[in-house]
Amino acid sequence: MICQALLGGSFDPVHNGHLHIAREILRSSIAQTVVFLPNARHNFKRDSVLLDYPHRRELVAAVLEPSMEVWDDDAQGSGYTADLLKHLYQKHPDHVFLWVIGSDNIAGLPRWYDFQWLKANARFLIIPRPGYSADEKILKRIRRKTLKISPSEVSSTLVRDRIKAGESITDLVPERIAKRVLRLYKPLLAGHAR
């Protein structure tokens, strides 16, 4: 059985915090590979994703390291984790998937689309986030592992805020994409209220 950690999200843009999580997962040997799954439709961030899917996906592909992959399975999907996992289980019946989720998202998990199916079928890999302890009542309802790692303070919001303020992002995103991120996001952030 191949065990893969699935790191889904908008990656608007991908940053050093995402890579930190992926590296720590691989270092822990919990999974053999980490798969980035940029979503084309994010049901919780419908109106706030700035960059289009093809560019976000290209940026992710440009920063991959050994044992990291990017898949397009969420490009045409509904944006719901349950639908994506059903698709992946059908496509890869010999794989075990761990859905990576921050502890800050645990409280809202019962409101996720088709939570009953997720509860019965999904395996979660919880990444602790500072200031967010996971609700024990919810934890008891799901199959999960927790990966204790040192948290990263980097976020896509911080990257965008720095770009908008004209500040450096060199410590926030991999060097090989920094200029491209600036070129893509500067026009989108000009006059954008945040």
mmCIF file of all heavy atoms in Angstrom, residues 7-15 18-19 22 34-39 51-65 68-72 156 174 176-177 180-181 184-185:
data_model
loop_
_atom_site.group_PDB
_atom_site.id
_atom_site.type_symbol
_atom_site.label_atom_id
_atom_site.label_comp_id
_atom_site.label_asym_id
_atom_site.label_seq_id
_atom_site.Cartn_x
_atom_site.Cartn_y
_atom_site.Cartn_z
ATOM 1 N N LEU A 7 -2.257 17.468 0.521
ATOM 2 C CA LEU A 7 -2.239 18.847 1.003
ATOM 3 C C LEU A 7 -3.059 19.686 0.029
ATOM 4 O O LEU A 7 -2.586 20.075 -1.037
ATOM 5 C CB LEU A 7 -0.789 19.334 1.079
ATOM 6 C CG LEU A 7 -0.461 20.599 1.844
ATOM 7 C CD1 LEU A 7 -0.997 20.565 3.272
ATOM 8 C CD2 LEU A 7 1.040 20.825 1.867
ATOM 9 N N GLY A 8 -4.328 19.879 0.366
ATOM 10 C CA GLY A 8 -5.218 20.640 -0.492
ATOM 11 C C GLY A 8 -5.292 22.089 -0.063
ATOM 12 O O GLY A 8 -4.975 22.423 1.075
ATOM 13 N N GLY A 9 -5.705 22.947 -0.985
ATOM 14 C CA GLY A 9 -5.866 24.348 -0.633
ATOM 15 C C GLY A 9 -5.853 25.237 -1.850
ATOM 16 O O GLY A 9 -5.699 24.782 -2.981
ATOM 17 N N SER A 10 -5.984 26.525 -1.592
ATOM 18 C CA SER A 10 -5.978 27.475 -2.702
ATOM 19 C C SER A 10 -4.556 27.830 -3.129
ATOM 20 O O SER A 10 -4.330 28.174 -4.285
ATOM 21 C CB SER A 10 -6.774 28.732 -2.336
ATOM 22 O OG SER A 10 -6.309 29.281 -1.121
ATOM 23 N N PHE A 11 -3.586 27.761 -2.215
ATOM 24 C CA PHE A 11 -2.190 28.105 -2.530
ATOM 25 C C PHE A 11 -2.153 29.437 -3.291
ATOM 26 O O PHE A 11 -1.669 29.511 -4.413
ATOM 27 C CB PHE A 11 -1.517 26.982 -3.330
ATOM 28 C CG PHE A 11 -1.552 25.660 -2.615
ATOM 29 C CD1 PHE A 11 -2.367 24.624 -3.066
ATOM 30 C CD2 PHE A 11 -0.802 25.441 -1.479
ATOM 31 C CE1 PHE A 11 -2.419 23.407 -2.395
ATOM 32 C CE2 PHE A 11 -0.842 24.225 -0.799
ATOM 33 C CZ PHE A 11 -1.654 23.210 -1.263
ATOM 34 N N ASP A 12 -2.626 30.475 -2.626
ATOM 35 C CA ASP A 12 -2.835 31.779 -3.260
ATOM 36 C C ASP A 12 -1.963 32.861 -2.622
ATOM 37 O O ASP A 12 -2.506 33.801 -2.051
ATOM 38 C CB ASP A 12 -4.327 32.132 -3.146
ATOM 39 C CG ASP A 12 -4.743 33.310 -4.005
ATOM 40 O OD1 ASP A 12 -4.104 33.562 -5.040
ATOM 41 O OD2 ASP A 12 -5.721 33.989 -3.624
ATOM 42 N N PRO A 13 -0.615 32.774 -2.711
ATOM 43 C CA PRO A 13 0.212 31.791 -3.417
ATOM 44 C C PRO A 13 0.785 30.733 -2.472
ATOM 45 O O PRO A 13 0.691 30.845 -1.250
ATOM 46 C CB PRO A 13 1.366 32.663 -3.953
ATOM 47 C CG PRO A 13 1.581 33.663 -2.841
ATOM 48 C CD PRO A 13 0.189 33.945 -2.301
ATOM 49 N N VAL A 14 1.430 29.705 -3.084
ATOM 50 C CA VAL A 14 2.179 28.722 -2.315
ATOM 51 C C VAL A 14 3.335 29.460 -1.625
ATOM 52 O O VAL A 14 3.851 30.447 -2.146
ATOM 53 C CB VAL A 14 2.702 27.587 -3.240
ATOM 54 C CG1 VAL A 14 3.703 28.091 -4.261
ATOM 55 C CG2 VAL A 14 3.228 26.415 -2.445
ATOM 56 N N HIS A 15 3.723 28.999 -0.430
ATOM 57 C CA HIS A 15 4.759 29.704 0.331
ATOM 58 C C HIS A 15 5.596 28.725 1.158
ATOM 59 O O HIS A 15 5.358 27.514 1.146
ATOM 60 C CB HIS A 15 4.127 30.786 1.217
ATOM 61 C CG HIS A 15 3.038 30.286 2.116
ATOM 62 N ND1 HIS A 15 3.256 29.431 3.173
ATOM 63 C CD2 HIS A 15 1.691 30.506 2.103
ATOM 64 C CE1 HIS A 15 2.128 29.166 3.782
ATOM 65 N NE2 HIS A 15 1.144 29.799 3.134
ATOM 66 N N HIS A 18 3.881 26.131 3.484
ATOM 67 C CA HIS A 18 3.386 24.900 2.852
ATOM 68 C C HIS A 18 4.519 23.891 2.702
ATOM 69 O O HIS A 18 4.352 22.704 2.983
ATOM 70 C CB HIS A 18 2.797 25.198 1.460
ATOM 71 C CG HIS A 18 1.589 26.072 1.479
ATOM 72 N ND1 HIS A 18 1.493 27.218 0.726
ATOM 73 C CD2 HIS A 18 0.414 25.968 2.148
ATOM 74 C CE1 HIS A 18 0.310 27.785 0.934
ATOM 75 N NE2 HIS A 18 -0.361 27.048 1.793
ATOM 76 N N LEU A 19 5.672 24.369 2.257
ATOM 77 C CA LEU A 19 6.812 23.470 2.062
ATOM 78 C C LEU A 19 7.331 22.935 3.391
ATOM 79 O O LEU A 19 7.754 21.783 3.477
ATOM 80 C CB LEU A 19 7.930 24.182 1.298
ATOM 81 C CG LEU A 19 7.608 24.449 -0.174
ATOM 82 C CD1 LEU A 19 8.682 25.318 -0.807
ATOM 83 C CD2 LEU A 19 7.462 23.145 -0.945
ATOM 84 N N ALA A 22 5.106 20.046 4.278
ATOM 85 C CA ALA A 22 5.400 18.896 3.408
ATOM 86 C C ALA A 22 6.714 18.228 3.813
ATOM 87 O O ALA A 22 6.792 16.996 3.908
ATOM 88 C CB ALA A 22 5.463 19.346 1.953
ATOM 89 N N VAL A 34 4.073 13.541 -0.570
ATOM 90 C CA VAL A 34 3.095 14.590 -0.268
ATOM 91 C C VAL A 34 2.563 15.090 -1.603
ATOM 92 O O VAL A 34 3.335 15.442 -2.495
ATOM 93 C CB VAL A 34 3.719 15.760 0.525
ATOM 94 C CG1 VAL A 34 2.716 16.897 0.683
ATOM 95 C CG2 VAL A 34 4.209 15.282 1.891
ATOM 96 N N VAL A 35 1.252 15.069 -1.748
ATOM 97 C CA VAL A 35 0.601 15.500 -2.983
ATOM 98 C C VAL A 35 -0.095 16.838 -2.728
ATOM 99 O O VAL A 35 -0.966 16.938 -1.867
ATOM 100 C CB VAL A 35 -0.438 14.457 -3.460
ATOM 101 C CG1 VAL A 35 -1.144 14.952 -4.714
ATOM 102 C CG2 VAL A 35 0.222 13.105 -3.692
ATOM 103 N N PHE A 36 0.319 17.850 -3.477
ATOM 104 C CA PHE A 36 -0.350 19.147 -3.433
ATOM 105 C C PHE A 36 -1.546 19.089 -4.383
ATOM 106 O O PHE A 36 -1.413 18.645 -5.529
ATOM 107 C CB PHE A 36 0.603 20.258 -3.886
ATOM 108 C CG PHE A 36 1.656 20.612 -2.877
ATOM 109 C CD1 PHE A 36 2.798 19.829 -2.733
ATOM 110 C CD2 PHE A 36 1.530 21.729 -2.069
ATOM 111 C CE1 PHE A 36 3.778 20.153 -1.815
ATOM 112 C CE2 PHE A 36 2.506 22.061 -1.142
ATOM 113 C CZ PHE A 36 3.636 21.271 -1.016
ATOM 114 N N LEU A 37 -2.697 19.515 -3.884
ATOM 115 C CA LEU A 37 -3.932 19.506 -4.672
ATOM 116 C C LEU A 37 -4.533 20.912 -4.700
ATOM 117 O O LEU A 37 -5.435 21.233 -3.928
ATOM 118 C CB LEU A 37 -4.933 18.526 -4.067
ATOM 119 C CG LEU A 37 -4.611 17.046 -4.258
ATOM 120 C CD1 LEU A 37 -5.272 16.204 -3.184
ATOM 121 C CD2 LEU A 37 -5.057 16.590 -5.641
ATOM 122 N N PRO A 38 -4.015 21.776 -5.589
ATOM 123 C CA PRO A 38 -4.607 23.114 -5.681
ATOM 124 C C PRO A 38 -6.056 23.002 -6.138
ATOM 125 O O PRO A 38 -6.362 22.208 -7.022
ATOM 126 C CB PRO A 38 -3.763 23.830 -6.740
ATOM 127 C CG PRO A 38 -2.607 22.940 -7.031
ATOM 128 C CD PRO A 38 -2.959 21.559 -6.554
ATOM 129 N N ASN A 39 -6.943 23.758 -5.501
ATOM 130 C CA ASN A 39 -8.338 23.671 -5.929
ATOM 131 C C ASN A 39 -8.712 24.836 -6.835
ATOM 132 O O ASN A 39 -8.238 25.943 -6.683
ATOM 133 C CB ASN A 39 -9.297 23.553 -4.739
ATOM 134 C CG ASN A 39 -9.055 24.597 -3.686
ATOM 135 O OD1 ASN A 39 -8.652 25.696 -3.984
ATOM 136 N ND2 ASN A 39 -9.292 24.246 -2.446
ATOM 137 N N LEU A 51 -5.620 34.684 -7.614
ATOM 138 C CA LEU A 51 -4.952 34.209 -8.828
ATOM 139 C C LEU A 51 -5.691 33.028 -9.435
ATOM 140 O O LEU A 51 -6.221 32.183 -8.707
ATOM 141 C CB LEU A 51 -3.509 33.814 -8.475
ATOM 142 C CG LEU A 51 -2.537 33.627 -9.641
ATOM 143 C CD1 LEU A 51 -2.372 34.911 -10.435
ATOM 144 C CD2 LEU A 51 -1.184 33.150 -9.128
ATOM 145 N N ASP A 52 -5.706 32.949 -10.755
ATOM 146 C CA ASP A 52 -6.417 31.864 -11.418
ATOM 147 C C ASP A 52 -5.723 30.515 -11.175
ATOM 148 O O ASP A 52 -4.546 30.453 -10.826
ATOM 149 C CB ASP A 52 -6.577 32.140 -12.919
ATOM 150 C CG ASP A 52 -5.243 32.262 -13.647
ATOM 151 O OD1 ASP A 52 -4.342 31.431 -13.431
ATOM 152 O OD2 ASP A 52 -5.091 33.203 -14.437
ATOM 153 N N TYR A 53 -6.493 29.453 -11.370
ATOM 154 C CA TYR A 53 -5.998 28.109 -11.095
ATOM 155 C C TYR A 53 -4.722 27.755 -11.860
ATOM 156 O O TYR A 53 -3.756 27.267 -11.256
ATOM 157 C CB TYR A 53 -7.093 27.060 -11.379
ATOM 158 C CG TYR A 53 -6.574 25.644 -11.284
ATOM 159 C CD1 TYR A 53 -6.460 25.024 -10.041
ATOM 160 C CD2 TYR A 53 -6.148 24.945 -12.412
ATOM 161 C CE1 TYR A 53 -5.943 23.743 -9.935
ATOM 162 C CE2 TYR A 53 -5.634 23.674 -12.313
ATOM 163 C CZ TYR A 53 -5.531 23.072 -11.071
ATOM 164 O OH TYR A 53 -5.003 21.809 -10.972
ATOM 165 N N PRO A 54 -4.644 27.983 -13.171
ATOM 166 C CA PRO A 54 -3.426 27.566 -13.895
ATOM 167 C C PRO A 54 -2.147 28.187 -13.334
ATOM 168 O O PRO A 54 -1.124 27.509 -13.206
ATOM 169 C CB PRO A 54 -3.682 28.022 -15.335
ATOM 170 C CG PRO A 54 -5.172 28.091 -15.455
ATOM 171 C CD PRO A 54 -5.650 28.523 -14.094
ATOM 172 N N HIS A 55 -2.195 29.464 -12.957
ATOM 173 C CA HIS A 55 -1.003 30.115 -12.416
ATOM 174 C C HIS A 55 -0.668 29.603 -11.016
ATOM 175 O O HIS A 55 0.500 29.390 -10.686
ATOM 176 C CB HIS A 55 -1.179 31.639 -12.404
ATOM 177 C CG HIS A 55 -1.011 32.260 -13.745
ATOM 178 N ND1 HIS A 55 -2.061 32.786 -14.452
ATOM 179 C CD2 HIS A 55 0.086 32.412 -14.526
ATOM 180 C CE1 HIS A 55 -1.623 33.256 -15.607
ATOM 181 N NE2 HIS A 55 -0.322 33.040 -15.686
ATOM 182 N N ARG A 56 -1.695 29.385 -10.184
ATOM 183 C CA ARG A 56 -1.436 28.857 -8.839
ATOM 184 C C ARG A 56 -0.816 27.466 -8.939
ATOM 185 O O ARG A 56 0.120 27.119 -8.215
ATOM 186 C CB ARG A 56 -2.725 28.821 -8.010
ATOM 187 C CG ARG A 56 -3.180 30.191 -7.563
ATOM 188 C CD ARG A 56 -4.404 30.159 -6.667
ATOM 189 N NE ARG A 56 -5.615 29.852 -7.413
ATOM 190 C CZ ARG A 56 -6.388 28.784 -7.226
ATOM 191 N NH1 ARG A 56 -6.092 27.892 -6.300
ATOM 192 N NH2 ARG A 56 -7.477 28.606 -7.943
ATOM 193 N N ARG A 57 -1.319 26.657 -9.859
ATOM 194 C CA ARG A 57 -0.795 25.305 -10.052
ATOM 195 C C ARG A 57 0.653 25.338 -10.557
ATOM 196 O O ARG A 57 1.488 24.570 -10.118
ATOM 197 C CB ARG A 57 -1.686 24.555 -11.051
ATOM 198 C CG ARG A 57 -1.421 23.060 -11.065
ATOM 199 C CD ARG A 57 -0.961 22.641 -12.461
ATOM 200 N NE ARG A 57 -0.801 21.203 -12.516
ATOM 201 C CZ ARG A 57 0.383 20.611 -12.611
ATOM 202 N NH1 ARG A 57 1.495 21.308 -12.655
ATOM 203 N NH2 ARG A 57 0.470 19.298 -12.655
ATOM 204 N N GLU A 58 0.942 26.253 -11.488
ATOM 205 C CA GLU A 58 2.310 26.395 -12.011
ATOM 206 C C GLU A 58 3.289 26.764 -10.908
ATOM 207 O O GLU A 58 4.419 26.260 -10.870
ATOM 208 C CB GLU A 58 2.355 27.483 -13.096
ATOM 209 C CG GLU A 58 1.843 27.056 -14.443
ATOM 210 C CD GLU A 58 1.760 28.228 -15.416
ATOM 211 O OE1 GLU A 58 2.510 29.218 -15.230
ATOM 212 O OE2 GLU A 58 0.941 28.153 -16.344
ATOM 213 N N LEU A 59 2.883 27.661 -10.017
ATOM 214 C CA LEU A 59 3.762 28.066 -8.917
ATOM 215 C C LEU A 59 4.041 26.886 -7.985
ATOM 216 O O LEU A 59 5.174 26.699 -7.530
ATOM 217 C CB LEU A 59 3.148 29.232 -8.140
ATOM 218 C CG LEU A 59 3.106 30.581 -8.871
ATOM 219 C CD1 LEU A 59 2.288 31.597 -8.094
ATOM 220 C CD2 LEU A 59 4.521 31.108 -9.113
ATOM 221 N N VAL A 60 3.013 26.088 -7.701
ATOM 222 C CA VAL A 60 3.217 24.897 -6.863
ATOM 223 C C VAL A 60 4.200 23.949 -7.552
ATOM 224 O O VAL A 60 5.160 23.471 -6.940
ATOM 225 C CB VAL A 60 1.883 24.172 -6.561
ATOM 226 C CG1 VAL A 60 2.140 22.827 -5.891
ATOM 227 C CG2 VAL A 60 0.976 25.035 -5.678
ATOM 228 N N ALA A 61 3.979 23.681 -8.842
ATOM 229 C CA ALA A 61 4.850 22.763 -9.586
ATOM 230 C C ALA A 61 6.304 23.233 -9.576
ATOM 231 O O ALA A 61 7.228 22.423 -9.558
ATOM 232 C CB ALA A 61 4.342 22.602 -11.019
ATOM 233 N N ALA A 62 6.505 24.536 -9.552
ATOM 234 C CA ALA A 62 7.857 25.103 -9.616
ATOM 235 C C ALA A 62 8.643 24.947 -8.316
ATOM 236 O O ALA A 62 9.858 25.095 -8.316
ATOM 237 C CB ALA A 62 7.781 26.575 -9.993
ATOM 238 N N VAL A 63 7.962 24.661 -7.202
ATOM 239 C CA VAL A 63 8.669 24.580 -5.913
ATOM 240 C C VAL A 63 8.746 23.161 -5.347
ATOM 241 O O VAL A 63 9.234 22.961 -4.243
ATOM 242 C CB VAL A 63 8.043 25.530 -4.857
ATOM 243 C CG1 VAL A 63 8.110 26.972 -5.337
ATOM 244 C CG2 VAL A 63 6.613 25.138 -4.507
ATOM 245 N N LEU A 64 8.278 22.182 -6.115
ATOM 246 C CA LEU A 64 8.268 20.810 -5.611
ATOM 247 C C LEU A 64 9.675 20.301 -5.354
ATOM 248 O O LEU A 64 10.614 20.614 -6.090
ATOM 249 C CB LEU A 64 7.560 19.885 -6.600
ATOM 250 C CG LEU A 64 6.070 20.156 -6.830
ATOM 251 C CD1 LEU A 64 5.528 19.205 -7.876
ATOM 252 C CD2 LEU A 64 5.281 20.043 -5.535
ATOM 253 N N GLU A 65 9.790 19.498 -4.317
ATOM 254 C CA GLU A 65 11.053 18.872 -3.935
ATOM 255 C C GLU A 65 10.871 17.363 -4.043
ATOM 256 O O GLU A 65 9.761 16.884 -4.297
ATOM 257 C CB GLU A 65 11.406 19.298 -2.503
ATOM 258 C CG GLU A 65 11.634 20.804 -2.397
ATOM 259 C CD GLU A 65 11.828 21.292 -0.975
ATOM 260 O OE1 GLU A 65 11.800 20.470 -0.020
ATOM 261 O OE2 GLU A 65 12.009 22.510 -0.806
ATOM 262 N N MET A 68 7.572 15.012 -3.521
ATOM 263 C CA MET A 68 6.406 15.905 -3.570
ATOM 264 C C MET A 68 5.878 15.911 -4.995
ATOM 265 O O MET A 68 6.645 15.855 -5.950
ATOM 266 C CB MET A 68 6.789 17.338 -3.168
ATOM 267 C CG MET A 68 7.264 17.492 -1.755
ATOM 268 S SD MET A 68 7.665 19.237 -1.404
ATOM 269 C CE MET A 68 8.585 19.063 0.126
ATOM 270 N N GLU A 69 4.536 15.952 -5.116
ATOM 271 C CA GLU A 69 3.886 15.953 -6.418
ATOM 272 C C GLU A 69 2.761 16.975 -6.415
ATOM 273 O O GLU A 69 2.293 17.385 -5.352
ATOM 274 C CB GLU A 69 3.283 14.567 -6.720
ATOM 275 C CG GLU A 69 4.266 13.422 -6.685
ATOM 276 C CD GLU A 69 3.594 12.052 -6.809
ATOM 277 O OE1 GLU A 69 2.407 11.997 -7.195
ATOM 278 O OE2 GLU A 69 4.263 11.050 -6.509
ATOM 279 N N VAL A 70 2.322 17.356 -7.599
ATOM 280 C CA VAL A 70 1.115 18.164 -7.712
ATOM 281 C C VAL A 70 0.166 17.424 -8.648
ATOM 282 O O VAL A 70 0.575 16.953 -9.702
ATOM 283 C CB VAL A 70 1.402 19.611 -8.200
ATOM 284 C CG1 VAL A 70 2.043 19.647 -9.569
ATOM 285 C CG2 VAL A 70 0.129 20.458 -8.172
ATOM 286 N N TRP A 71 -1.079 17.275 -8.197
ATOM 287 C CA TRP A 71 -2.099 16.601 -9.006
ATOM 288 C C TRP A 71 -3.182 17.612 -9.366
ATOM 289 O O TRP A 71 -3.468 18.535 -8.610
ATOM 290 C CB TRP A 71 -2.735 15.442 -8.239
ATOM 291 C CG TRP A 71 -1.851 14.256 -8.014
ATOM 292 C CD1 TRP A 71 -0.567 14.073 -8.466
ATOM 293 C CD2 TRP A 71 -2.176 13.079 -7.273
ATOM 294 N NE1 TRP A 71 -0.085 12.859 -8.041
ATOM 295 C CE2 TRP A 71 -1.053 12.218 -7.311
ATOM 296 C CE3 TRP A 71 -3.308 12.665 -6.577
ATOM 297 C CZ2 TRP A 71 -1.029 10.978 -6.676
ATOM 298 C CZ3 TRP A 71 -3.294 11.430 -5.938
ATOM 299 C CH2 TRP A 71 -2.164 10.591 -6.005
ATOM 300 N N ASP A 72 -3.820 17.364 -10.510
ATOM 301 C CA ASP A 72 -4.874 18.251 -10.999
ATOM 302 C C ASP A 72 -6.280 17.732 -10.695
ATOM 303 O O ASP A 72 -7.246 18.220 -11.269
ATOM 304 C CB ASP A 72 -4.733 18.429 -12.516
ATOM 305 C CG ASP A 72 -3.451 19.148 -12.884
ATOM 306 O OD1 ASP A 72 -3.111 20.133 -12.208
ATOM 307 O OD2 ASP A 72 -2.785 18.730 -13.842
ATOM 308 N N SER A 156 -0.476 32.749 3.196
ATOM 309 C CA SER A 156 -0.704 33.404 1.902
ATOM 310 C C SER A 156 -1.169 34.840 2.104
ATOM 311 O O SER A 156 -0.814 35.738 1.335
ATOM 312 C CB SER A 156 -1.729 32.617 1.083
ATOM 313 O OG SER A 156 -1.223 31.342 0.751
ATOM 314 N N PRO A 174 9.687 30.547 -1.740
ATOM 315 C CA PRO A 174 10.963 30.068 -2.282
ATOM 316 C C PRO A 174 11.542 31.068 -3.280
ATOM 317 O O PRO A 174 10.806 31.675 -4.073
ATOM 318 C CB PRO A 174 10.587 28.752 -2.970
ATOM 319 C CG PRO A 174 9.351 28.299 -2.261
ATOM 320 C CD PRO A 174 8.610 29.562 -1.924
ATOM 321 N N ARG A 176 13.083 30.768 -5.979
ATOM 322 C CA ARG A 176 12.900 30.533 -7.410
ATOM 323 C C ARG A 176 11.561 31.010 -7.967
ATOM 324 O O ARG A 176 11.396 31.092 -9.180
ATOM 325 C CB ARG A 176 13.143 29.063 -7.763
ATOM 326 C CG ARG A 176 12.240 28.052 -7.101
ATOM 327 C CD ARG A 176 12.746 26.637 -7.421
ATOM 328 N NE ARG A 176 12.079 25.594 -6.700
ATOM 329 C CZ ARG A 176 12.456 25.152 -5.509
ATOM 330 N NH1 ARG A 176 13.490 25.671 -4.910
ATOM 331 N NH2 ARG A 176 11.798 24.167 -4.926
ATOM 332 N N ILE A 177 10.615 31.338 -7.095
ATOM 333 C CA ILE A 177 9.334 31.860 -7.601
ATOM 334 C C ILE A 177 9.049 33.285 -7.152
ATOM 335 O O ILE A 177 8.030 33.859 -7.519
ATOM 336 C CB ILE A 177 8.135 30.959 -7.217
ATOM 337 C CG1 ILE A 177 7.952 30.886 -5.700
ATOM 338 C CG2 ILE A 177 8.249 29.590 -7.869
ATOM 339 C CD1 ILE A 177 6.597 30.337 -5.265
ATOM 340 N N ARG A 180 8.312 35.888 -9.866
ATOM 341 C CA ARG A 180 7.076 35.533 -10.576
ATOM 342 C C ARG A 180 5.845 35.835 -9.720
ATOM 343 O O ARG A 180 4.836 36.341 -10.223
ATOM 344 C CB ARG A 180 7.131 34.054 -10.954
ATOM 345 C CG ARG A 180 5.990 33.594 -11.822
ATOM 346 C CD ARG A 180 6.350 32.291 -12.517
ATOM 347 N NE ARG A 180 5.191 31.616 -13.052
ATOM 348 C CZ ARG A 180 4.517 32.002 -14.132
ATOM 349 N NH1 ARG A 180 4.887 33.079 -14.777
ATOM 350 N NH2 ARG A 180 3.477 31.301 -14.556
ATOM 351 N N VAL A 181 5.933 35.540 -8.422
ATOM 352 C CA VAL A 181 4.822 35.843 -7.510
ATOM 353 C C VAL A 181 4.553 37.355 -7.521
ATOM 354 O O VAL A 181 3.400 37.790 -7.628
ATOM 355 C CB VAL A 181 5.122 35.335 -6.081
ATOM 356 C CG1 VAL A 181 4.126 35.909 -5.070
ATOM 357 C CG2 VAL A 181 5.090 33.809 -6.043
ATOM 358 N N LEU A 184 2.890 38.402 -10.814
ATOM 359 C CA LEU A 184 1.500 37.956 -10.950
ATOM 360 C C LEU A 184 0.552 38.673 -9.983
ATOM 361 O O LEU A 184 -0.585 38.984 -10.340
ATOM 362 C CB LEU A 184 1.411 36.443 -10.712
ATOM 363 C CG LEU A 184 1.995 35.552 -11.804
ATOM 364 C CD1 LEU A 184 2.131 34.112 -11.307
ATOM 365 C CD2 LEU A 184 1.126 35.594 -13.051
ATOM 366 N N TYR A 185 1.027 38.921 -8.755
ATOM 367 C CA TYR A 185 0.114 39.444 -7.727
ATOM 368 C C TYR A 185 0.037 40.964 -7.665
ATOM 369 O O TYR A 185 -1.006 41.503 -7.274
ATOM 370 C CB TYR A 185 0.484 38.875 -6.349
ATOM 371 C CG TYR A 185 -0.062 37.492 -6.138
ATOM 372 C CD1 TYR A 185 0.650 36.372 -6.542
ATOM 373 C CD2 TYR A 185 -1.315 37.293 -5.562
ATOM 374 C CE1 TYR A 185 0.137 35.083 -6.371
ATOM 375 C CE2 TYR A 185 -1.837 36.016 -5.390
ATOM 376 C CZ TYR A 185 -1.107 34.923 -5.800
ATOM 377 O OH TYR A 185 -1.621 33.658 -5.639
#
